[in-house]
C-alpha cells in the first residue's frame, strides 16, 4: 500500500488537517487516487478541479501518480459552483473502512 496525506484546499477553514489514505500499489492511477480521496473526504469527484502535490505541482496523469511516495501531501482543489453540492454523503460501500476485496469474497 501507498500511504498519502490528503486534504481539501481551502485557506478559509480554521481546521484544514490532512487525512491519510491508502492506495493499492497495483492500482496506482489518477482515477483511483481521485475516487479514494473524494470518498474519504466526502467530496463529489465532479467538483474537483485538480489534484495538487504540495507545494506546487499539479498531478495530471497515471505516471504522475505512480511517482508518488509514502506520506506525500496532496490537496484537492475544488471548483466553486454550488457550495451545497460540493460535499456528499458516501454510500455504504464508499465509507471509510469498507474493504472492497472482502466484499467480493464468496463462501
Amino acid at each position: 500500500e501507498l500511504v498519502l496525506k490528503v486534504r481539501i484546499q481551502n485557506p478559509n477553514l480554521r481546521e484544514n488537517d490532512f487525512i491519510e489514505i491508502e492506495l493499492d500499489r497495483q492500482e496506482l492511477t489518477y482515477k483511483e487516487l481521485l475516487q479514494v480521496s473524494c470518498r474519504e473526504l466526502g467530496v463529489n469527484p465532479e467538483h474537483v478541479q485538480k489534484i495538487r502535490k504540495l507545494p506546487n505541482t499539479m498531478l495530471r496523469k497515471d505516471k504522475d501518480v505512480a511517482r508518488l511516495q509514502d506520506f506525500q501531501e496532496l490537496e484537492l482543489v475544488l471548483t466553486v459552483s454550488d457550495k451545497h453540492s460540493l460535499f456528499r454523503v458516501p454510500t455504504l460501500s464508499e465509507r471509510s473502512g469498507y474493504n472492497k476485496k472482502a466484499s467480493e469474497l464468496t463462501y
Side-chain angles (χ1 to χ4, degrees), residues 6-38:
V6 183
R7 71 178 179 189
I8 297 169
Q9 184 271 328
N10 187 345
N12 298 328
L13 290 178
R14 285 180 40 188
E15 290 188 32
N16 197 15
D17 296 331
F18 288 93
I19 62 165
E20 291 182 355
I21 63 168
E22 297 86 21
L23 292 176
D24 185 341
R25 289 190 187 268
Q26 305 303 317
E27 299 178 19
L28 280 181
T29 64
Y30 184 89
K31 182 179 179 181
E32 184 70 10
L33 172 62
L34 178 63
Q35 289 178 344
V36 172
S37 299
C38 288

PDB file of all heavy atoms in Angstrom, residues 6-38:
ATOM      1  N   VAL A   6      -3.884  13.653   2.429  1.00  0.00           N
ATOM      2  CA  VAL A   6      -4.755  14.404   1.523  1.00  0.00           C
ATOM      3  C   VAL A   6      -5.638  15.356   2.326  1.00  0.00           C
ATOM      4  O   VAL A   6      -6.064  15.029   3.442  1.00  0.00           O
ATOM      5  CB  VAL A   6      -5.656  13.443   0.703  1.00  0.00           C
ATOM      6  CG1 VAL A   6      -6.513  14.208  -0.289  1.00  0.00           C
ATOM      7  CG2 VAL A   6      -4.822  12.415  -0.019  1.00  0.00           C
ATOM      8  N   ARG A   7      -5.913  16.513   1.755  1.00  0.00           N
ATOM      9  CA  ARG A   7      -6.865  17.458   2.345  1.00  0.00           C
ATOM     10  C   ARG A   7      -7.518  18.259   1.227  1.00  0.00           C
ATOM     11  O   ARG A   7      -7.085  18.221   0.075  1.00  0.00           O
ATOM     12  CB  ARG A   7      -6.188  18.393   3.341  1.00  0.00           C
ATOM     13  CG  ARG A   7      -5.279  19.418   2.698  1.00  0.00           C
ATOM     14  CD  ARG A   7      -4.687  20.343   3.725  1.00  0.00           C
ATOM     15  NE  ARG A   7      -3.793  21.307   3.096  1.00  0.00           N
ATOM     16  CZ  ARG A   7      -3.012  22.122   3.755  1.00  0.00           C
ATOM     17  NH1 ARG A   7      -2.990  22.102   5.068  1.00  0.00           N
ATOM     18  NH2 ARG A   7      -2.240  22.972   3.118  1.00  0.00           N
ATOM     19  N   ILE A   8      -8.545  19.001   1.608  1.00  0.00           N
ATOM     20  CA  ILE A   8      -9.204  19.908   0.673  1.00  0.00           C
ATOM     21  C   ILE A   8      -8.510  21.258   0.770  1.00  0.00           C
ATOM     22  O   ILE A   8      -8.289  21.765   1.868  1.00  0.00           O
ATOM     23  CB  ILE A   8     -10.702  20.048   1.005  1.00  0.00           C
ATOM     24  CG1 ILE A   8     -11.390  18.696   0.852  1.00  0.00           C
ATOM     25  CG2 ILE A   8     -11.354  21.097   0.123  1.00  0.00           C
ATOM     26  CD1 ILE A   8     -12.791  18.666   1.403  1.00  0.00           C
ATOM     27  N   GLN A   9      -8.189  21.836  -0.364  1.00  0.00           N
ATOM     28  CA  GLN A   9      -7.535  23.141  -0.370  1.00  0.00           C
ATOM     29  C   GLN A   9      -8.585  24.192  -0.058  1.00  0.00           C
ATOM     30  O   GLN A   9      -9.513  24.411  -0.834  1.00  0.00           O
ATOM     31  CB  GLN A   9      -6.891  23.395  -1.736  1.00  0.00           C
ATOM     32  CG  GLN A   9      -6.090  24.674  -1.840  1.00  0.00           C
ATOM     33  CD  GLN A   9      -6.900  25.871  -2.274  1.00  0.00           C
ATOM     34  OE1 GLN A   9      -7.851  25.760  -3.035  1.00  0.00           O
ATOM     35  NE2 GLN A   9      -6.550  27.019  -1.767  1.00  0.00           N
ATOM     36  N   ASN A  10      -8.457  24.798   1.107  1.00  0.00           N
ATOM     37  CA  ASN A  10      -9.379  25.864   1.495  1.00  0.00           C
ATOM     38  C   ASN A  10      -8.742  26.687   2.606  1.00  0.00           C
ATOM     39  O   ASN A  10      -8.786  26.302   3.776  1.00  0.00           O
ATOM     40  CB  ASN A  10     -10.712  25.288   1.970  1.00  0.00           C
ATOM     41  CG  ASN A  10     -11.743  26.372   2.206  1.00  0.00           C
ATOM     42  OD1 ASN A  10     -11.415  27.553   2.291  1.00  0.00           O
ATOM     43  ND2 ASN A  10     -12.990  25.985   2.324  1.00  0.00           N
ATOM     44  N   PRO A  11      -8.151  27.831   2.262  1.00  0.00           N
ATOM     45  CA  PRO A  11      -7.497  28.664   3.282  1.00  0.00           C
ATOM     46  C   PRO A  11      -8.484  29.294   4.267  1.00  0.00           C
ATOM     47  O   PRO A  11      -8.074  29.797   5.300  1.00  0.00           O
ATOM     48  CB  PRO A  11      -6.775  29.734   2.459  1.00  0.00           C
ATOM     49  CG  PRO A  11      -7.488  29.770   1.155  1.00  0.00           C
ATOM     50  CD  PRO A  11      -8.050  28.395   0.932  1.00  0.00           C
ATOM     51  N   ASN A  12      -9.776  29.242   3.985  1.00  0.00           N
ATOM     52  CA  ASN A  12     -10.770  29.837   4.869  1.00  0.00           C
ATOM     53  C   ASN A  12     -11.160  28.935   6.034  1.00  0.00           C
ATOM     54  O   ASN A  12     -11.783  29.392   6.980  1.00  0.00           O
ATOM     55  CB  ASN A  12     -12.030  30.211   4.079  1.00  0.00           C
ATOM     56  CG  ASN A  12     -11.721  31.256   3.020  1.00  0.00           C
ATOM     57  OD1 ASN A  12     -10.849  32.101   3.203  1.00  0.00           O
ATOM     58  ND2 ASN A  12     -12.407  31.184   1.902  1.00  0.00           N
ATOM     59  N   LEU A  13     -10.832  27.647   5.946  1.00  0.00           N
ATOM     60  CA  LEU A  13     -11.170  26.729   7.030  1.00  0.00           C
ATOM     61  C   LEU A  13     -10.223  26.926   8.204  1.00  0.00           C
ATOM     62  O   LEU A  13      -9.010  27.054   8.021  1.00  0.00           O
ATOM     63  CB  LEU A  13     -11.070  25.272   6.557  1.00  0.00           C
ATOM     64  CG  LEU A  13     -12.112  24.785   5.566  1.00  0.00           C
ATOM     65  CD1 LEU A  13     -11.818  23.344   5.178  1.00  0.00           C
ATOM     66  CD2 LEU A  13     -13.502  24.883   6.163  1.00  0.00           C
ATOM     67  N   ARG A  14     -10.782  26.942   9.414  1.00  0.00           N
ATOM     68  CA  ARG A  14      -9.936  27.063  10.600  1.00  0.00           C
ATOM     69  C   ARG A  14      -9.110  25.805  10.792  1.00  0.00           C
ATOM     70  O   ARG A  14      -7.947  25.866  11.150  1.00  0.00           O
ATOM     71  CB  ARG A  14     -10.792  27.321  11.835  1.00  0.00           C
ATOM     72  CG  ARG A  14     -11.306  28.736  11.885  1.00  0.00           C
ATOM     73  CD  ARG A  14     -12.150  29.018  13.081  1.00  0.00           C
ATOM     74  NE  ARG A  14     -11.636  28.399  14.298  1.00  0.00           N
ATOM     75  CZ  ARG A  14     -12.286  28.388  15.427  1.00  0.00           C
ATOM     76  NH1 ARG A  14     -13.460  28.940  15.520  1.00  0.00           N
ATOM     77  NH2 ARG A  14     -11.774  27.813  16.495  1.00  0.00           N
ATOM     78  N   GLU A  15      -9.722  24.665  10.583  1.00  0.00           N
ATOM     79  CA  GLU A  15      -9.010  23.404  10.675  1.00  0.00           C
ATOM     80  C   GLU A  15      -8.963  22.788   9.285  1.00  0.00           C
ATOM     81  O   GLU A  15      -9.994  22.473   8.709  1.00  0.00           O
ATOM     82  CB  GLU A  15      -9.703  22.451  11.647  1.00  0.00           C
ATOM     83  CG  GLU A  15      -9.585  22.890  13.080  1.00  0.00           C
ATOM     84  CD  GLU A  15     -10.102  21.831  14.028  1.00  0.00           C
ATOM     85  OE1 GLU A  15      -9.988  20.637  13.719  1.00  0.00           O
ATOM     86  OE2 GLU A  15     -10.615  22.218  15.066  1.00  0.00           O
ATOM     87  N   ASN A  16      -7.793  22.668   8.765  1.00  0.00           N
ATOM     88  CA  ASN A  16      -7.630  22.110   7.428  1.00  0.00           C
ATOM     89  C   ASN A  16      -6.605  20.977   7.490  1.00  0.00           C
ATOM     90  O   ASN A  16      -5.596  20.992   6.802  1.00  0.00           O
ATOM     91  CB  ASN A  16      -7.193  23.206   6.447  1.00  0.00           C
ATOM     92  CG  ASN A  16      -7.417  22.787   5.010  1.00  0.00           C
ATOM     93  OD1 ASN A  16      -8.118  21.832   4.726  1.00  0.00           O
ATOM     94  ND2 ASN A  16      -6.811  23.506   4.097  1.00  0.00           N
ATOM     95  N   ASP A  17      -6.892  20.000   8.343  1.00  0.00           N
ATOM     96  CA  ASP A  17      -5.961  18.907   8.573  1.00  0.00           C
ATOM     97  C   ASP A  17      -5.930  17.933   7.407  1.00  0.00           C
ATOM     98  O   ASP A  17      -6.904  17.791   6.659  1.00  0.00           O
ATOM     99  CB  ASP A  17      -6.349  18.134   9.841  1.00  0.00           C
ATOM    100  CG  ASP A  17      -6.238  18.984  11.092  1.00  0.00           C
ATOM    101  OD1 ASP A  17      -5.404  19.905  11.104  1.00  0.00           O
ATOM    102  OD2 ASP A  17      -6.980  18.712  12.055  1.00  0.00           O
ATOM    103  N   PHE A  18      -4.826  17.243   7.297  1.00  0.00           N
ATOM    104  CA  PHE A  18      -4.691  16.161   6.335  1.00  0.00           C
ATOM    105  C   PHE A  18      -5.293  14.885   6.919  1.00  0.00           C
ATOM    106  O   PHE A  18      -5.333  14.716   8.132  1.00  0.00           O
ATOM    107  CB  PHE A  18      -3.208  15.878   6.040  1.00  0.00           C
ATOM    108  CG  PHE A  18      -2.546  16.931   5.218  1.00  0.00           C
ATOM    109  CD1 PHE A  18      -1.863  17.976   5.820  1.00  0.00           C
ATOM    110  CD2 PHE A  18      -2.580  16.884   3.834  1.00  0.00           C
ATOM    111  CE1 PHE A  18      -1.232  18.946   5.067  1.00  0.00           C
ATOM    112  CE2 PHE A  18      -1.954  17.851   3.068  1.00  0.00           C
ATOM    113  CZ  PHE A  18      -1.282  18.885   3.683  1.00  0.00           C
ATOM    114  N   ILE A  19      -5.755  14.012   6.035  1.00  0.00           N
ATOM    115  CA  ILE A  19      -6.089  12.656   6.442  1.00  0.00           C
ATOM    116  C   ILE A  19      -5.156  11.738   5.655  1.00  0.00           C
ATOM    117  O   ILE A  19      -4.619  12.124   4.613  1.00  0.00           O
ATOM    118  CB  ILE A  19      -7.569  12.285   6.152  1.00  0.00           C
ATOM    119  CG1 ILE A  19      -7.867  12.329   4.645  1.00  0.00           C
ATOM    120  CG2 ILE A  19      -8.517  13.174   6.935  1.00  0.00           C
ATOM    121  CD1 ILE A  19      -9.159  11.648   4.284  1.00  0.00           C
ATOM    122  N   GLU A  20      -4.938  10.547   6.175  1.00  0.00           N
ATOM    123  CA  GLU A  20      -4.110   9.581   5.469  1.00  0.00           C
ATOM    124  C   GLU A  20      -5.008   8.615   4.723  1.00  0.00           C
ATOM    125  O   GLU A  20      -6.010   8.146   5.263  1.00  0.00           O
ATOM    126  CB  GLU A  20      -3.205   8.834   6.441  1.00  0.00           C
ATOM    127  CG  GLU A  20      -2.132   9.722   7.035  1.00  0.00           C
ATOM    128  CD  GLU A  20      -1.198   8.981   7.976  1.00  0.00           C
ATOM    129  OE1 GLU A  20      -1.421   7.790   8.262  1.00  0.00           O
ATOM    130  OE2 GLU A  20      -0.234   9.615   8.437  1.00  0.00           O
ATOM    131  N   ILE A  21      -4.654   8.356   3.481  1.00  0.00           N
ATOM    132  CA  ILE A  21      -5.387   7.376   2.685  1.00  0.00           C
ATOM    133  C   ILE A  21      -4.392   6.316   2.204  1.00  0.00           C
ATOM    134  O   ILE A  21      -3.187   6.577   2.136  1.00  0.00           O
ATOM    135  CB  ILE A  21      -6.110   8.016   1.475  1.00  0.00           C
ATOM    136  CG1 ILE A  21      -5.099   8.642   0.496  1.00  0.00           C
ATOM    137  CG2 ILE A  21      -7.139   9.037   1.927  1.00  0.00           C
ATOM    138  CD1 ILE A  21      -5.703   9.019  -0.834  1.00  0.00           C
ATOM    139  N   GLU A  22      -4.929   5.150   1.901  1.00  0.00           N
ATOM    140  CA  GLU A  22      -4.088   4.066   1.390  1.00  0.00           C
ATOM    141  C   GLU A  22      -4.541   3.705  -0.017  1.00  0.00           C
ATOM    142  O   GLU A  22      -5.733   3.591  -0.273  1.00  0.00           O
ATOM    143  CB  GLU A  22      -4.191   2.813   2.277  1.00  0.00           C
ATOM    144  CG  GLU A  22      -3.702   3.008   3.691  1.00  0.00           C
ATOM    145  CD  GLU A  22      -4.765   3.559   4.618  1.00  0.00           C
ATOM    146  OE1 GLU A  22      -5.970   3.423   4.306  1.00  0.00           O
ATOM    147  OE2 GLU A  22      -4.400   4.163   5.631  1.00  0.00           O
ATOM    148  N   LEU A  23      -3.580   3.528  -0.897  1.00  0.00           N
ATOM    149  CA  LEU A  23      -3.857   3.085  -2.267  1.00  0.00           C
ATOM    150  C   LEU A  23      -3.091   1.789  -2.514  1.00  0.00           C
ATOM    151  O   LEU A  23      -1.932   1.665  -2.119  1.00  0.00           O
ATOM    152  CB  LEU A  23      -3.404   4.127  -3.288  1.00  0.00           C
ATOM    153  CG  LEU A  23      -4.154   5.454  -3.323  1.00  0.00           C
ATOM    154  CD1 LEU A  23      -3.493   6.399  -4.327  1.00  0.00           C
ATOM    155  CD2 LEU A  23      -5.596   5.235  -3.713  1.00  0.00           C
ATOM    156  N   ASP A  24      -3.731   0.860  -3.180  1.00  0.00           N
ATOM    157  CA  ASP A  24      -3.087  -0.376  -3.579  1.00  0.00           C
ATOM    158  C   ASP A  24      -2.028  -0.038  -4.627  1.00  0.00           C
ATOM    159  O   ASP A  24      -2.329   0.613  -5.632  1.00  0.00           O
ATOM    160  CB  ASP A  24      -4.143  -1.329  -4.153  1.00  0.00           C
ATOM    161  CG  ASP A  24      -3.586  -2.698  -4.479  1.00  0.00           C
ATOM    162  OD1 ASP A  24      -2.354  -2.839  -4.617  1.00  0.00           O
ATOM    163  OD2 ASP A  24      -4.402  -3.628  -4.584  1.00  0.00           O
ATOM    164  N   ARG A  25      -0.816  -0.461  -4.412  1.00  0.00           N
ATOM    165  CA  ARG A  25       0.275  -0.133  -5.353  1.00  0.00           C
ATOM    166  C   ARG A  25       0.035  -0.746  -6.733  1.00  0.00           C
ATOM    167  O   ARG A  25       0.610  -0.294  -7.717  1.00  0.00           O
ATOM    168  CB  ARG A  25       1.623  -0.573  -4.796  1.00  0.00           C
ATOM    169  CG  ARG A  25       2.075   0.276  -3.625  1.00  0.00           C
ATOM    170  CD  ARG A  25       3.513  -0.020  -3.251  1.00  0.00           C
ATOM    171  NE  ARG A  25       3.892   0.679  -2.039  1.00  0.00           N
ATOM    172  CZ  ARG A  25       4.451   1.877  -2.010  1.00  0.00           C
ATOM    173  NH1 ARG A  25       4.683   2.514  -3.141  1.00  0.00           N
ATOM    174  NH2 ARG A  25       4.782   2.441  -0.876  1.00  0.00           N
ATOM    175  N   GLN A  26      -0.821  -1.761  -6.806  1.00  0.00           N
ATOM    176  CA  GLN A  26      -1.142  -2.376  -8.096  1.00  0.00           C
ATOM    177  C   GLN A  26      -2.173  -1.554  -8.873  1.00  0.00           C
ATOM    178  O   GLN A  26      -2.401  -1.794 -10.054  1.00  0.00           O
ATOM    179  CB  GLN A  26      -1.678  -3.803  -7.892  1.00  0.00           C
ATOM    180  CG  GLN A  26      -0.746  -4.702  -7.099  1.00  0.00           C
ATOM    181  CD  GLN A  26       0.635  -4.822  -7.724  1.00  0.00           C
ATOM    182  OE1 GLN A  26       0.761  -4.960  -8.936  1.00  0.00           O
ATOM    183  NE2 GLN A  26       1.663  -4.742  -6.904  1.00  0.00           N
ATOM    184  N   GLU A  27      -2.831  -0.615  -8.196  1.00  0.00           N
ATOM    185  CA  GLU A  27      -3.879   0.205  -8.823  1.00  0.00           C
ATOM    186  C   GLU A  27      -3.568   1.688  -8.702  1.00  0.00           C
ATOM    187  O   GLU A  27      -4.451   2.489  -8.414  1.00  0.00           O
ATOM    188  CB  GLU A  27      -5.232  -0.099  -8.171  1.00  0.00           C
ATOM    189  CG  GLU A  27      -5.673  -1.534  -8.319  1.00  0.00           C
ATOM    190  CD  GLU A  27      -6.987  -1.811  -7.610  1.00  0.00           C
ATOM    191  OE1 GLU A  27      -7.724  -0.864  -7.309  1.00  0.00           O
ATOM    192  OE2 GLU A  27      -7.262  -2.988  -7.363  1.00  0.00           O
ATOM    193  N   LEU A  28      -2.325   2.073  -8.925  1.00  0.00           N
ATOM    194  CA  LEU A  28      -1.928   3.475  -8.801  1.00  0.00           C
ATOM    195  C   LEU A  28      -2.266   4.230 -10.074  1.00  0.00           C
ATOM    196  O   LEU A  28      -1.452   4.371 -10.972  1.00  0.00           O
ATOM    197  CB  LEU A  28      -0.425   3.587  -8.521  1.00  0.00           C
ATOM    198  CG  LEU A  28       0.016   3.343  -7.095  1.00  0.00           C
ATOM    199  CD1 LEU A  28       1.523   3.520  -6.971  1.00  0.00           C
ATOM    200  CD2 LEU A  28      -0.704   4.257  -6.139  1.00  0.00           C
ATOM    201  N   THR A  29      -3.489   4.710 -10.136  1.00  0.00           N
ATOM    202  CA  THR A  29      -3.926   5.507 -11.274  1.00  0.00           C
ATOM    203  C   THR A  29      -4.500   6.823 -10.771  1.00  0.00           C
ATOM    204  O   THR A  29      -4.887   6.938  -9.599  1.00  0.00           O
ATOM    205  CB  THR A  29      -5.011   4.781 -12.098  1.00  0.00           C
ATOM    206  OG1 THR A  29      -6.174   4.618 -11.277  1.00  0.00           O
ATOM    207  CG2 THR A  29      -4.517   3.428 -12.597  1.00  0.00           C
ATOM    208  N   TYR A  30      -4.576   7.784 -11.658  1.00  0.00           N
ATOM    209  CA  TYR A  30      -5.164   9.070 -11.306  1.00  0.00           C
ATOM    210  C   TYR A  30      -6.625   8.884 -10.882  1.00  0.00           C
ATOM    211  O   TYR A  30      -7.072   9.457  -9.891  1.00  0.00           O
ATOM    212  CB  TYR A  30      -5.068  10.032 -12.499  1.00  0.00           C
ATOM    213  CG  TYR A  30      -5.575  11.419 -12.176  1.00  0.00           C
ATOM    214  CD1 TYR A  30      -4.719  12.381 -11.652  1.00  0.00           C
ATOM    215  CD2 TYR A  30      -6.911  11.766 -12.384  1.00  0.00           C
ATOM    216  CE1 TYR A  30      -5.175  13.652 -11.347  1.00  0.00           C
ATOM    217  CE2 TYR A  30      -7.370  13.030 -12.080  1.00  0.00           C
ATOM    218  CZ  TYR A  30      -6.503  13.965 -11.560  1.00  0.00           C
ATOM    219  OH  TYR A  30      -6.960  15.210 -11.243  1.00  0.00           O
ATOM    220  N   LYS A  31      -7.349   8.060 -11.634  1.00  0.00           N
ATOM    221  CA  LYS A  31      -8.761   7.831 -11.338  1.00  0.00           C
ATOM    222  C   LYS A  31      -8.953   7.211  -9.953  1.00  0.00           C
ATOM    223  O   LYS A  31      -9.827   7.628  -9.191  1.00  0.00           O
ATOM    224  CB  LYS A  31      -9.360   6.924 -12.410  1.00  0.00           C
ATOM    225  CG  LYS A  31     -10.833   6.651 -12.230  1.00  0.00           C
ATOM    226  CD  LYS A  31     -11.364   5.765 -13.346  1.00  0.00           C
ATOM    227  CE  LYS A  31     -12.838   5.475 -13.126  1.00  0.00           C
ATOM    228  NZ  LYS A  31     -13.375   4.597 -14.165  1.00  0.00           N
ATOM    229  N   GLU A  32      -8.126   6.237  -9.614  1.00  0.00           N
ATOM    230  CA  GLU A  32      -8.225   5.585  -8.294  1.00  0.00           C
ATOM    231  C   GLU A  32      -7.884   6.574  -7.184  1.00  0.00           C
ATOM    232  O   GLU A  32      -8.544   6.621  -6.147  1.00  0.00           O
ATOM    233  CB  GLU A  32      -7.298   4.367  -8.241  1.00  0.00           C
ATOM    234  CG  GLU A  32      -7.397   3.575  -6.960  1.00  0.00           C
ATOM    235  CD  GLU A  32      -8.697   2.812  -6.791  1.00  0.00           C
ATOM    236  OE1 GLU A  32      -9.504   2.719  -7.742  1.00  0.00           O
ATOM    237  OE2 GLU A  32      -8.940   2.318  -5.672  1.00  0.00           O
ATOM    238  N   LEU A  33      -6.849   7.385  -7.382  1.00  0.00           N
ATOM    239  CA  LEU A  33      -6.488   8.412  -6.400  1.00  0.00           C
ATOM    240  C   LEU A  33      -7.647   9.375  -6.188  1.00  0.00           C
ATOM    241  O   LEU A  33      -7.993   9.708  -5.059  1.00  0.00           O
ATOM    242  CB  LEU A  33      -5.236   9.169  -6.862  1.00  0.00           C
ATOM    243  CG  LEU A  33      -4.856  10.401  -6.037  1.00  0.00           C
ATOM    244  CD1 LEU A  33      -4.537  10.032  -4.603  1.00  0.00           C
ATOM    245  CD2 LEU A  33      -3.688  11.124  -6.689  1.00  0.00           C
ATOM    246  N   LEU A  34      -8.254   9.820  -7.269  1.00  0.00           N
ATOM    247  CA  LEU A  34      -9.382  10.750  -7.187  1.00  0.00           C
ATOM    248  C   LEU A  34     -10.555  10.109  -6.445  1.00  0.00           C
ATOM    249  O   LEU A  34     -11.133  10.722  -5.537  1.00  0.00           O
ATOM    250  CB  LEU A  34      -9.811  11.191  -8.584  1.00  0.00           C
ATOM    251  CG  LEU A  34     -11.004  12.134  -8.659  1.00  0.00           C
ATOM    252  CD1 LEU A  34     -10.699  13.460  -7.970  1.00  0.00           C
ATOM    253  CD2 LEU A  34     -11.413  12.364 -10.105  1.00  0.00           C
ATOM    254  N   GLN A  35     -10.894   8.872  -6.798  1.00  0.00           N
ATOM    255  CA  GLN A  35     -12.035   8.197  -6.165  1.00  0.00           C
ATOM    256  C   GLN A  35     -11.812   7.981  -4.675  1.00  0.00           C
ATOM    257  O   GLN A  35     -12.693   8.266  -3.857  1.00  0.00           O
ATOM    258  CB  GLN A  35     -12.311   6.859  -6.861  1.00  0.00           C
ATOM    259  CG  GLN A  35     -12.895   7.015  -8.231  1.00  0.00           C
ATOM    260  CD  GLN A  35     -13.109   5.682  -8.934  1.00  0.00           C
ATOM    261  OE1 GLN A  35     -12.566   4.657  -8.544  1.00  0.00           O
ATOM    262  NE2 GLN A  35     -13.901   5.705  -9.993  1.00  0.00           N
ATOM    263  N   VAL A  36     -10.654   7.472  -4.298  1.00  0.00           N
ATOM    264  CA  VAL A  36     -10.376   7.207  -2.884  1.00  0.00           C
ATOM    265  C   VAL A  36     -10.334   8.506  -2.091  1.00  0.00           C
ATOM    266  O   VAL A  36     -10.913   8.606  -1.006  1.00  0.00           O
ATOM    267  CB  VAL A  36      -9.061   6.409  -2.716  1.00  0.00           C
ATOM    268  CG1 VAL A  36      -8.668   6.299  -1.250  1.00  0.00           C
ATOM    269  CG2 VAL A  36      -9.204   5.021  -3.338  1.00  0.00           C
ATOM    270  N   SER A  37      -9.673   9.527  -2.623  1.00  0.00           N
ATOM    271  CA  SER A  37      -9.577  10.820  -1.928  1.00  0.00           C
ATOM    272  C   SER A  37     -10.962  11.426  -1.712  1.00  0.00           C
ATOM    273  O   SER A  37     -11.278  11.899  -0.616  1.00  0.00           O
ATOM    274  CB  SER A  37      -8.710  11.796  -2.724  1.00  0.00           C
ATOM    275  OG  SER A  37      -7.409  11.297  -2.870  1.00  0.00           O
ATOM    276  N   CYS A  38     -11.781  11.426  -2.746  1.00  0.00           N
ATOM    277  CA  CYS A  38     -13.122  12.007  -2.644  1.00  0.00           C
ATOM    278  C   CYS A  38     -13.988  11.220  -1.668  1.00  0.00           C
ATOM    279  O   CYS A  38     -14.732  11.806  -0.877  1.00  0.00           O
ATOM    280  CB  CYS A  38     -13.784  12.070  -4.015  1.00  0.00           C
ATOM    281  SG  CYS A  38     -13.064  13.332  -5.081  1.00  0.00           S
TER     282      CYS A  38
END
